[in-house]
Amino acid sequence: ILNAMKLEVPVFVPDSPSERSSFENAGLFGANEEKTLSQNMMLVYKDEETRSDLIRKAKNLVLGLSPEKISGIIMDRIINATQG
């Protein structure tokens, strides 16, 4: 996800407290629900302003991440993977 953000690709992430905490408003949430994911994909496809805004927010988020924050995101993803 972080690499996609660096490459200016809008990201779709699952809607969970840890994902919201990690990615704030730099991604579209609900990737774990088919209907929400398809709606978000159409939004990014059709609405250039929304797409540009997400890219800008993601780029700012990635540029401002400390090594500690990055390791925290990675740990959250590992923990979620083992629990889910």
Side-chain angles (χ1 to χ4, degrees):
I1 292 175
L2 295 175
N3 284 334
M5 289 176 153
K6 285 195 298 191
L7 295 172
E8 299 184 2
V9 176
V11 296
F12 306 93
V13 293
D15 193 0
S16 71
S18 66
E19 300 292 345
R20 285 191 176 272
S21 172
S22 296
F23 300 111
E24 301 163 6
N25 59 356
L28 289 171
F29 298 93
N32 48 339
E33 299 171 10
E34 185 177 331
K35 183 177 179 180
T36 304
L37 176 61
S38 63
Q39 290 170 340
N40 285 339
M41 290 175 77
M42 288 305 295
L43 175 66
V44 168
Y45 176 72
K46 291 181 176 182
D47 189 338
E48 187 174 332
E49 186 176 331
T50 298
R51 183 175 53 253
S52 296
D53 189 46
L54 284 169
I55 289 169
R56 180 184 51 77
K57 289 175 182 175
K59 200 171 190 179
N60 289 338
L61 176 75
V62 170
L63 291 174
L65 288 176
S66 67
E68 293 81 15
K69 179 73 172 175
I70 293 171
S71 64
I73 291 170
I74 293 169
M75 286 303 298
D76 282 346
R77 296 193 69 75
I78 291 170
I79 291 168
N80 287 338
T82 60
Q83 293 176 350

